[in-house]
Amino acid sequence: MDNIQLIILDAQKEIEQVSSKAVLTQIRARYLGKQSPFNSLLSQLKSLPNQQKAEFGKKLNLAKVELNRIFDEKFNFLTDLEIQKKIEEEKIDISLPGYKLERGSKHPCQLIIDQIEDFFLQRGYIVKQGSDVELEKFNFEFLNIPKDHPSRDMQDTFYISDDLLLRSQTSGMQAHTMQEKNGIGPIKMICPGKTYRRDDDRTHSHQFSQCEGLVISEDCNLACLMETLTEFLQFIFGKNRQVRFRPSYFPFTEPSIEADVSCFECNGKGCDLCKHTGWIEVLGAGMVHPNVLRLNGFDSNKYQGFAFGVGIERLAMLKYGVDDIRKFFNNDIAFLKQFSKEN
């Protein structure tokens, strides 16, 4: 019994002098581990008389419990000291300037898409999302552009297989929408999304974004189209912009028109930006060709419609004064930060 008390007293003396949790862990292993003095005493049980074994074993267990309690108290004490020391070393100097959290911003092209969607959603249009990979028949043939049509030469397309391609225009979604309706109108939809052509210079990219619009009903006409586009372009560029329309040609519309807005730089007087014409070309549009209606299941004697398409990057370049389309894709932080609401 005396040996048990001596072990506890020796352990207490060592514990009192410890200032490190690592050293304390080593001492604990020495007094309570497999090679500890308690285990040596435990081996003496078999040599004791039977009446003393129970009492000796009980004393031995109580001593181990007491020693564990002492070790735990010391460990907690050292932990508290470490926390207190860390708090004192990491005091905040409130006189130091604070950290500015950088906030990102929407990409300028996304800002344009948001404005387009805001305008048309308020007028009852729905927004459709198409796939970047499209069947050739939806990209061309259902839009009145057969294989031998010369307009295909104007769109140098990325083909994946004989009948599968990266869409060169979002117009294919118009064909999908018409066929989903099974020849029953009305339809009012827009489809913003990425398109792909073999182009690469300051004003063209192999990847760019378009937004196509389609309206089909029994009574829409060219005047409805011109009014819609005038309101849309003035919504994007400002009420003071003048809008004009010129005859044009597209295989999927007849008649076809192109829309111009008065120059932002010279206000229509003529300058380098507008090539001294006073006008800047913005988008193409027209009345849906009767062949397109028929190819997609609509009765061209009952229904008519109009369609338009605009380049997202082109709108962004004109609205924000960007002189090179490649700036939209270079991830230049200095360029993109200009479009943050904080600036």
Side-chain angles (χ1 to χ4, degrees):
M1 300 296 181
D2 292 340
N3 288 339
I4 294 175
Q5 292 301 319
L6 287 173
I7 293 170
I8 293 176
L9 290 173
D10 289 343
Q12 283 179 319
K13 289 178 182 179
E14 290 194 55
I15 291 170
E16 288 173 0
Q17 298 173 6
V18 170
S19 60
S20 164
K21 289 198 292 187
V23 175
L24 182 67
T25 301
Q26 293 175 358
I27 296 174
R28 186 172 198 157
R30 179 149 44 85
Y31 278 94
L32 295 171
K34 291 183 179 180
Q35 305 298 323
S36 69
F38 284 114
N39 280 350
S40 298
L41 292 174
L42 193 62
S43 64
Q44 298 176 16
L45 271 175
K46 55 187 174 184
S47 62
L48 293 174
N50 290 335
Q51 61 272 20
Q52 295 182 6
K53 286 182 179 179
E55 184 181 358
F56 185 78
K58 181 179 178 181
K59 292 282 185 180
L60 200 58
N61 286 332
L62 288 173
K64 292 174 72 175
V65 170
E66 175 67 12
L67 200 54
N68 270 310
R69 183 189 65 79
I70 296 171
F71 274 114
D72 288 342
E73 285 184 355
K74 185 67 175 184
F75 186 87
N76 293 334
F77 174 76
L78 293 175
T79 300
D80 291 341
L81 282 180
E82 287 182 357
I83 294 173
Q84 187 62 34
K85 182 179 179 182
K86 190 173 183 180
I87 291 173
E88 291 176 357
E89 291 175 349
E90 295 182 358
K91 284 183 179 177
I92 299 173
D93 184 352
I94 60 173
S95 66
L96 291 173
Y99 296 101
K100 182 180 179 181
L101 297 177
E102 293 289 340
R103 178 178 292 182
S105 62
K106 287 186 177 180
H107 192 277
C109 290
Q110 186 59 51
L111 293 175
I112 294 294
I113 291 173
D114 289 347
Q115 292 172 51
I116 292 173
E117 291 182 353
D118 286 345
F119 177 86
F120 285 105
L121 285 171
Q122 291 175 26
R123 287 156 179 78
Y125 288 67
I126 62 171
V127 179
K128 304 281 281 189
Q129 297 292 333
S131 172
D132 290 7
V133 178
E134 185 61 276
L135 289 170
E136 184 185 45
K137 60 184 179 181
F138 282 98
N139 195 77
F140 291 122
E141 290 164 29
F142 288 138
L143 301 174
N144 198 38
I145 312 176
K147 290 184 182 296
D148 57 351
H149 199 286
S151 66
R152 288 212 190 186
D153 297 334
M154 299 166 58
Q155 299 186 21
D156 200 354
T157 308
F158 291 100
Y159 275 87
I160 298 172
S161 64
D162 289 343
D163 60 351
L164 201 62
L165 48 80
L166 293 178
R167 64 181 180 183
S168 61
Q169 53 194 1
T170 55
S171 307
M173 204 56 212
Q174 297 181 14
H176 282 288
T177 303
M178 284 188 280
Q179 293 187 22
E180 288 169 5
K181 297 291 285 187
N182 293 318
I184 301 174
I187 294 174
K188 293 178 75 175
M189 59 82 72
I190 59 170
C191 178
K194 290 187 176 66
T195 56
Y196 307 85
R197 297 181 191 176
R198 295 179 186 270
D199 287 320
D200 188 18
D201 56 42
R202 288 180 59 191
T203 58
H204 298 86
S205 171
H206 63 277
Q207 173 191 295
F208 59 101
S209 301
Q210 277 188 343
C211 182
E212 301 276 350
L214 173 68
V215 172
I216 291 180
S217 69
E218 296 183 23
D219 56 1
C220 66
N221 53 42
L222 190 61
C224 298
L225 170 61
M226 295 168 67
E227 180 183 17
T228 299
L229 294 182
T230 299
E231 291 181 356
F232 167 63
L233 293 174
Q234 290 179 341
F235 177 82
I236 296 293
F237 296 115
K239 288 289 186 181
N240 59 334
R241 291 300 107 212
Q242 298 296 312
V243 180
R244 76 173 185 181
F245 299 97
R246 296 176 288 107
S248 187
Y249 166 76
F250 302 107
F252 30 82
T253 53
E254 180 59 39
S256 302
I257 59 174
E258 294 202 43
D260 303 332
V261 295
S262 54
C263 180
F264 322 102
E265 193 72 28
C266 65
N267 202 29
K269 296 177 181 178
C271 65
D272 290 339
L273 178 63
C274 61
K275 300 177 182 177
H276 301 281
T277 65
W279 299 92
I280 297 176
E281 178 187 329
V282 180
L283 58 81
M287 299 301 294
V288 178
H289 198 293
N291 286 347
V292 174
L293 291 170
R294 289 191 289 269
L295 285 167
N296 292 283
F298 276 80
D299 183 351
S300 60
N301 294 316
K302 179 180 180 182
Y303 288 102
Q304 55 191 17
F306 63 76
F308 56 88
V310 61
I312 303 299
E313 285 83 3
R314 178 161 182 76
L315 288 185
M317 291 176 75
L318 293 172
K319 180 164 186 174
Y320 301 125
V322 179
D323 60 358
D324 191 329
I325 194 172
R326 290 167 291 195
K327 291 181 178 179
F328 292 126
F329 311 115
N330 289 341
N331 291 327
D332 184 339
I333 299 299
F335 170 75
L336 296 174
K337 283 179 71 173
Q338 298 177 81
F339 302 94
S340 171
K341 291 182 179 180
E342 295 183 348
N343 294 332

